[in-house]
Amino acid sequence: MLRDPSTKYRPFPAIDLPDRQWPSRSITQPPRWLSTDMRDGNQALIDPMDAEKKNRFFDLLVSVGLKEIEVGFPSAGATEFDFISGLVRSGRVPDDVTVQVLTQSRRDLIEKSFESLEGAHRAIVHLYNAVSPAWRRIVFGMGRDEVRDIAVTGAKILRDEAAKRPATDWHFEYSPETFSTAELDFSLEVCTAVMEVLRPTPDHPLILNLPATVEASSPNIYADQIEYFCRNVPNRDSVVISLHPHNDRGTGVAAAELGLMAGADRIEGCLFGNGERTGNVDLVTLALNMYTQGIDPRLDFSDIDRVIGTVEYCNALPVHPRHPYAGELVFTAFSGSHQDAIKKGFAAQEARNDEIWEVPYLPIDPADLGRSYEAVIRVNSQSGKGGVAWVLEQDKGLKLPKRLQADFSRHVQAMADETSRELNAGDIWHTFNRVYRLDPAQYFTLEAYEETRAPNGDRIFAGHVGIGGVTRSVSGRGNGLISSVLAALRDGCGITLDVADYSEHAIGHGSDARAAAYVECVDADGRTLWGVGIDEDVATASVRAVLSAANAARGKA
């Protein structure tokens, strides 16, 4: 890299628009959406889609709610032409969906495009030619007048070809290609000349598409360009201003959003941002950004994994794990502080009296996209007690007391450090069973018991307890069930424990519900020991919890 890049690169010039209005505007409704996955996205693939994949992709776009779909470039070759004409003539295009094709401004290519759409009930023919100085000078060797004439000639052919086919409801789109790096006055001049040929009206407007063919400036400058164009284009009510942002600077989504604030009506892009170089603007991100602001984008991504699966199959390109909204890891927290905040957020959400979503680190409810909460928190060496507790709650329904969370997290941390990998729910449950001795093969095991009440109100525990594999009868008296079990362990087994805290809760609902009990004990040496019990009966769960603590005491003896 150059120490002084100014010797090679020039800053993009600002737009003289001192009274710009877009910074104080907000997006309040969705734009018209056009998917160009099957044209712009397809031509950017290493291996372009075959007919089977194109048909599958088309069905996906229809199912998520796209009403305008650019289905291809008919003049690119027989494969493209045959697919488009077959799609139209098969009757697979729904009545509320408009197909669009792209063509350069050449007679033979325009005529071929119209032929591919024979029989369509409604269609858009999209005409384009490049207008920027670099293209005029380097690619075409033409002046302004010659470039404008290319657009005008193409518009006349559009008009005439449509007149030959009155059965189709024809609509036109014109793109001053390379708009983002062209002079604004010249883009307006060319678009005005095209409008004079096609004579749009408010009832039958012309789509003027203003592409950031190469994203060469910060998104605020693109917004200035759009606002300037919207202010100065004649008969603004007779045109639909469309944006086609690319992502060369990584700000395609921002450019599209600011462009909408600047007055645009329509967005062209691809699902997950596929497209040439760094891609077209991502329609999924744009739509879900609006959704998180309370705006219905009129696109349905409620089964985002189905959408991802189809796109990855058809494009043979992966969706990045960190891709906004769609990536495998975007709703996942590994950091302990993040996990704690999310866990508390979900708890607060359950206690709310309204439906407003407010969970730290999660701008959208994963369930709205068909994602489960199980993957929201995952555990590795960076995780904390809240994350471990969340996994147990989601996987097993256990709601650990805070001090037990801290106790157990030490064991999980040690395992994570030892294995140097992510721990799954199975790993965590195995460790929980081991630490709190829930499996049957323990020194103290409960076989059967009875609880009775003495005349003075004391509780009497009489049980058959397995001690080292031998069944023994033990009994104890106390002011409650737990204290009577502790007395039985003290008198019959020599285990002395005092209860510091106890809690319980139901696991599940209805007839299949079980109970979990947690007991925090202190032994004769002042050490804190935890016991956990799970059973269909809450009283039995508490007995099992005390025996779990006794096993811990014996293990530390």
Side-chain angles (χ1 to χ4, degrees):
M1 295 177 66
L2 300 174
R3 290 187 177 274
D4 181 9
S6 68
T7 62
K8 187 173 183 179
Y9 301 100
R10 289 170 292 179
F12 198 91
I15 308 300
D16 184 17
L17 196 68
D19 59 340
R20 57 182 59 83
Q21 300 299 306
W22 64 261
S24 60
R25 295 176 184 159
S26 300
I27 298 172
T28 58
Q29 62 183 13
R32 284 172 55 175
W33 303 104
L34 174 116
S35 161
T36 187
D37 288 273
M38 300 179 68
R39 196 279 302 169
D40 203 343
N42 187 50
Q43 73 185 36
L45 298 177
I46 299 168
D47 297 309
M49 291 182 279
D50 58 19
E52 185 271 332
K53 289 183 176 180
K54 285 186 178 181
N55 278 296
R56 186 165 171 176
F57 211 123
F58 181 81
D59 290 341
L60 172 69
L61 295 172
V62 170
S63 72
V64 300
L66 268 301
K67 301 303 181 186
E68 297 179 25
I69 302 172
E70 193 167 65
V71 291
F73 203 145
S75 57
T79 300
E80 194 85 343
F81 181 94
D82 291 345
F83 168 75
I84 296 167
S85 60
L87 181 68
V88 170
R89 292 165 189 169
S90 68
R92 292 182 56 244
V93 180
D95 290 342
D96 62 345
V97 172
T98 303
V99 293
Q100 174 173 305
V101 297
L102 181 72
T103 179
Q104 294 167 314
S105 187
R106 277 175 37 192
R107 176 175 293 277
D108 58 327
L109 305 184
I110 296 171
E111 291 174 347
K112 194 79 171 176
S113 299
F114 275 91
E115 290 171 14
S116 74
L117 295 170
E118 289 281 1
H121 66 279
R122 189 171 189 269
I124 301 170
V125 181
H126 180 186
L127 175 76
Y128 76 97
N129 67 299
V131 299
S132 69
W135 279 73
R136 297 196 309 260
R137 184 180 68 254
I138 299 170
V139 180
F140 300 136
M142 292 182 177
R144 283 191 175 200
D145 291 348
E146 294 167 290
V147 168
R148 184 189 63 244
D149 288 345
I150 292 174
V152 170
T153 299
K156 290 177 180 177
I157 301 170
L158 286 185
R159 177 195 62 197
D160 297 342
E161 289 299 312
K164 297 175 185 177
R165 301 167 176 86
T168 297
D169 180 14
W170 295 106
H171 292 258
F172 304 127
E173 175 174 346
Y174 173 69
S175 288
E177 182 74 350
T178 65
F179 166 84
S180 57
T181 52
E183 310 94 331
L184 281 169
D185 66 320
F186 185 55
S187 294
L188 280 163
E189 178 184 331
V190 175
C191 289
T192 300
V194 169
M195 291 174 66
E196 290 171 353
V197 173
L198 297 177
R199 299 188 178 280
T201 67
D203 294 332
H204 202 278
L206 169 66
I207 301 169
L208 291 178
N209 187 52
L210 308 178
T213 306
V214 175
E215 188 179 39
S217 70
S218 53
N220 61 300
I221 291 180
Y222 185 59
D224 281 348
Q225 292 174 322
I226 302 306
E227 181 169 335
Y228 183 95
F229 190 96
C230 289
R231 286 191 195 184
N232 291 281
V233 67
N235 303 318
R236 175 64 179 88
D237 61 350
S238 296
V239 295
V240 172
I241 301 300
S242 178
L243 307 181
H244 186 111
H246 277 257
N247 197 44
D248 300 86
R249 291 170 56 94
T251 56
V253 168
E257 291 180 330
L258 298 190
L260 289 174
M261 292 160 59
D265 311 297
R266 183 176 183 262
I267 295 288
E268 297 188 353
C270 293
L271 301 184
F272 308 119
N274 181 40
E276 293 177 302
R277 304 182 312 280
T278 54
N280 289 275
V281 71
D282 176 9
L283 298 186
V284 178
T285 299
L286 274 173
L288 293 178
N289 281 356
M290 294 179 193
Y291 183 84
T292 65
Q293 304 304 301
I295 300 167
D296 178 6
R298 298 176 194 152
L299 295 178
D300 181 9
F301 297 115
S302 57
D303 188 356
I304 194 91
D305 289 330
R306 177 183 70 90
V307 178
I308 293 169
T310 301
V311 173
E312 288 186 332
Y313 168 74
C314 293
N315 287 348
L317 292 173
V319 172
H320 195 278
R322 298 293 182 189
H323 193 102
Y325 302 108
E328 179 186 356
L329 298 177
V330 295
F331 300 125
T332 300
F334 291 101
S335 161
S337 61
H338 291 199
Q339 292 172 343
D340 182 64
I342 291 171
K343 183 174 181 291
K344 290 175 179 176
F346 272 105
Q349 195 72 21
E350 290 182 6
R352 290 175 69 100
N353 293 320
D354 58 54
E355 297 299 319
I356 299 300
W357 179 255
E358 189 178 22
V359 175
Y361 293 111
L362 295 179
I364 191 171
D365 184 350
D368 289 356
L369 305 181
R371 292 274 176 87
S372 72
Y373 295 140
E374 294 177 4
V376 169
I377 290 177
R378 289 161 59 174
V379 175
N380 62 16
S381 61
Q382 302 298 307
S383 304
K385 62 182 184 296
V388 174
W390 167 270
V391 172
L392 276 177
E393 182 174 348
Q394 296 300 305
D395 189 52
K396 298 296 182 181
L398 299 182
K399 301 177 182 179
L400 307 188
K402 284 188 176 181
R403 288 196 294 275
L404 178 54
Q405 292 179 27
D407 184 78
F408 181 49
S409 68
R410 294 185 295 104
H411 300 279
V412 175
Q413 182 72 42
M415 184 181 182
D417 289 337
E418 180 181 346
T419 60
S420 298
R421 63 173 175 82
E422 179 187 353
L423 303 182
N424 58 37
D427 295 324
I428 293 170
W429 180 239
H430 175 77
T431 304
F432 192 80
N433 272 276
R434 175 179 57 80
V435 172
Y436 301 108
R437 298 164 172 83
L438 300 185
D439 61 83
Q442 296 296 327
Y443 190 78
F444 297 111
T445 59
L446 178 65
E447 297 183 7
Y449 79 95
E450 289 183 355
E451 180 193 13
T452 58
R453 187 184 295 272
N456 67 352
D458 284 351
R459 301 290 182 88
I460 299 173
F461 171 83
H464 296 288
V465 175
I467 302 177
V470 178
T471 300
R472 288 176 51 184
S473 297
V474 297
S475 63
R477 179 188 292 255
N479 60 8
L481 176 59
I482 291 177
S483 62
S484 66
V485 176
L486 290 173
L489 289 171
R490 182 189 65 237
D491 297 339
C493 306
I495 298 291
T496 301
L497 297 173
D498 290 322
V499 174
D501 193 22
Y502 171 82
S503 62
E504 64 186 41
H505 65 81
I507 304 173
H509 304 280
S511 59
D512 295 328
R514 296 185 299 159
Y518 312 98
V519 60
E520 182 181 6
C521 297
V522 178
D523 68 7
D525 296 324
R527 294 175 301 186
T528 297
L529 305 167
W530 282 94
V532 179
I534 300 173
D535 198 89
E536 285 74 15
D537 173 68
V538 64
T540 304
S542 65
V543 175
R544 294 189 185 282
V546 173
L547 293 178
S548 169
N551 281 313
R554 183 180 179 278
K556 291 188 176 183

